[in-house]
Amino acid sequence: MARTPDKLRRSGYAPAANAGVGRRGLHTRDRILGCAAKMFLANGFHATSLDAIAKAARASRATVYQYFAGKEEIFRELSAFAERDVLGHSEHLSGLGPTVDGMNALHRWLVEWADIYDAHAAVFAEFPGIGTATGLAVIDASSAANQFHQTVTDRLRRMRLRDLDAEDAAAALGRIPHMVHLYRYRAMFPLPTRATLTSSLTVALQLMLFPETPTDVLQAVTPQFTNGRARTPPDTTDSAAATPPAATETSGSPIPQDVLSVSSALFAERGYYAVGMEDIAAAADISRATLYRYFSTKDKILAELTRRAVAEIEEHAATLPAMAPDSLTEWMLGYVQFHRTYRGVIRAWFDGTVAELLSDADVDHGIGAIFHAVAALLSTVDLPAGVDADVAGAVFVAVLGRMSEPTGASGPDSDERAAELMVKLLRRSLLRTT
């Protein structure tokens, strides 16, 4: 693991003239970083204590403090390594186009992206994707994310993209691979080996950027899969899992609904962890005593928002497979409006620590409803050559999960524009026959 020479030891533990820690000290420091990364990935940043990191590193708490002020500083350093590699990766995008050479260039870039994700999964898993923070106040990733997006956008402007804004294309290249790899690490959907995943992802993104790419080019670059249609996974939810938790008793008062509305907005703006009960009470213009009368803890608010989100998305998702092809934009508009209402709640579902506060069945049922609907729709179309069926489902869900957010492209950031972009990306890649 790379080291940061100017952060070898906390000030105060040694004289300035003795700032170096020697070979043994560097080994201990790297071991702490490596063990912390594994703990963050397994348990999440917020559920990992400094004592747990020290135990994993076979060190005392005092030893860890010799090198780091706390787990926040450890995560900041891990994030700095990730940012360095991500920004370097953005500089490597070149030579794309609707040719064998162009597609091979995209494949190499995505293989490198998979390598970077594997190396820094502990950091990436704390975020829903490049360009969006989750309320993790430890670091501010916005500067690096913006730089990555700008570099990729500038490079895409030099290429001949047909009817696709370079900033929209850059958002797709940054967000979709991240989410698909997040699904891989969270084991949220059935996915093939990393090599097959990367190959299929290359085809999907190639067609999003260059829908005119000939079939023989796709076949020349990627392996062929015998199953050309997505499989509809069996519905494994039982009646207990399908039953959402009971609704919060409102007693006819508008206060609970106000609390839920402002909480959803705050979770989306700041992230679940960065919002306190006092923030919610202030936003709802009520006292903390009144807030506690209806919701005793913040996780109770999240649980009720989850119940409502799951109920809404189940109903909306059920209409996807049976709808007419020309009504996809209308369906997508409804989805964008749902996602923007509950985006803070949905992001919380991807955090293992937060999810433990909820029923696993509730979260799985909400995400599962979308995945089953997408798989059912994809089972009705012939997928492009070289696209694995399970990866196709993950790409579709990644478009739903991330491309509703602003891309920085010119024009108003409206629900309608987001829906139109998402449909365009899917029609250029996975839904080419609908």
Side-chain angles (χ1 to χ4, degrees):
M1 180 175 289
R3 304 185 181 96
T4 305
D6 59 342
K7 289 188 177 181
L8 292 180
R9 179 175 292 191
R10 285 184 65 205
S11 59
Y13 276 89
N18 187 30
V21 296
R23 181 180 300 176
R24 182 176 178 181
L26 288 173
H27 177 74
T28 300
R29 191 174 192 280
D30 282 352
R31 188 173 72 248
I32 292 169
L33 283 169
C35 291
K38 292 178 181 177
M39 297 291 291
F40 291 148
L41 182 59
N43 305 317
F45 172 82
H46 294 279
T48 300
S49 67
L50 196 70
D51 287 333
I53 294 172
K55 182 178 180 180
R58 304 186 307 279
S60 67
R61 185 183 180 95
T63 298
V64 175
Y65 275 129
Q66 282 187 287
Y67 302 96
F68 302 99
K71 71 173 184 177
E72 293 80 6
E73 185 176 333
I74 295 174
F75 192 86
R76 273 194 294 269
E77 185 153 335
L78 292 171
S79 299
F81 297 148
E83 287 181 4
R84 176 203 61 199
D85 287 351
V86 165
L87 293 179
H89 180 58
S90 67
E91 299 283 353
H92 299 165
L93 185 68
S94 63
L96 306 189
T99 64
V100 170
D101 288 344
M103 194 167 171
N104 277 329
L106 178 59
H107 183 255
R108 288 192 298 272
W109 195 77
L110 289 172
V111 168
E112 182 181 341
W113 173 232
D115 290 339
I116 291 172
Y117 197 101
D118 285 349
H120 305 292
V123 174
F124 294 141
E126 293 294 327
F127 299 90
I130 295 294
T132 305
T134 59
L136 190 69
V138 177
I139 63 172
D140 179 8
S142 59
S143 177
N146 291 339
Q147 187 176 341
F148 173 91
H149 179 77
Q150 190 58 55
T151 299
V152 173
T153 298
D154 290 343
R155 289 175 175 264
L156 288 171
R157 285 199 175 106
R158 305 170 196 168
M159 305 171 194
R160 295 183 178 180
L161 301 177
R162 295 185 181 179
D163 191 32
L164 185 65
D165 187 277
E167 292 203 81
D168 291 338
L173 282 182
R175 298 172 185 177
I176 294 173
H178 177 98
M179 289 306 292
V180 171
H181 285 294
L182 179 61
Y183 302 151
R184 174 168 66 96
Y185 266 84
R186 295 292 193 214
M188 299 177 67
F189 309 128
L191 288 172
T193 64
R194 200 192 88 162
T196 299
L197 183 152
T198 304
S199 178
S200 296
L201 186 57
T202 299
V203 176
L205 290 171
Q206 172 75 16
L207 291 173
M208 287 182 190
L209 300 179
F210 305 103
E212 70 275 20
T213 303
T215 300
D216 60 342
V217 171
L218 303 180
Q219 293 173 337
V221 174
T222 60
Q224 300 306 297
F225 305 103
T226 56
N227 183 10
R229 289 174 181 261
R231 298 179 289 275
T232 304
D235 190 350
T236 56
T237 56
D238 55 29
S239 58
T243 303
T248 298
E249 178 60 51
T250 62
S251 304
S253 170
I255 292 177
Q257 180 56 50
D258 290 344
V259 168
L260 292 170
S261 296
V262 300
S263 297
S264 184
L266 288 172
F267 293 160
E269 177 186 356
R270 307 180 193 174
Y272 177 77
Y273 285 107
V275 177
M277 291 290 274
E278 60 275 14
D279 300 317
I280 295 171
D285 196 23
I286 57 176
S287 67
R288 291 182 63 178
T290 299
L291 173 60
Y292 285 124
R293 189 181 309 156
Y294 294 96
F295 299 97
S296 58
T297 60
K298 187 173 65 171
D299 62 275
K300 293 291 196 304
I301 297 175
L302 180 62
E304 175 61 14
L305 286 170
T306 293
R307 185 195 70 81
R308 297 187 178 201
V310 168
E312 287 189 30
I313 200 54
E314 283 184 322
E315 181 178 356
H316 192 64
T319 65
L320 177 60
M323 64 180 204
D326 59 359
S327 62
L328 180 58
T329 301
E330 180 182 352
W331 184 92
M332 196 66 73
L333 178 59
Y335 180 85
V336 168
Q337 292 168 343
F338 158 81
H339 194 274
R340 290 188 171 186
T341 298
Y342 290 104
R343 63 187 182 275
V345 177
I346 295 170
R347 287 174 190 165
W349 295 351
F350 287 89
D351 186 305
T353 308
V354 176
E356 287 180 359
L357 303 175
L358 307 167
S359 164
D360 288 340
D362 298 339
V363 174
D364 291 346
H365 208 63
I367 297 174
I370 283 293
F371 182 72
H372 279 78
V374 165
L377 174 63
L378 292 179
S379 69
T380 67
V381 303
D382 291 322
L383 296 173
V387 175
D388 174 82
D390 292 326
V391 178
V395 169
F396 196 121
V397 175
V399 170
L400 296 180
R402 289 303 314 281
M403 295 310 297
S404 64
E405 300 168 9
T407 65
S410 58
D413 172 32
S414 65
D415 295 347
E416 291 76 10
R417 185 188 185 283
E420 290 171 359
L421 172 62
M422 293 160 73
V423 170
K424 177 188 289 188
L425 294 175
L426 292 170
R427 288 206 186 283
R428 289 161 74 109
S429 56
L430 305 178
L431 303 179
R432 296 166 68 82
T433 60
T434 62

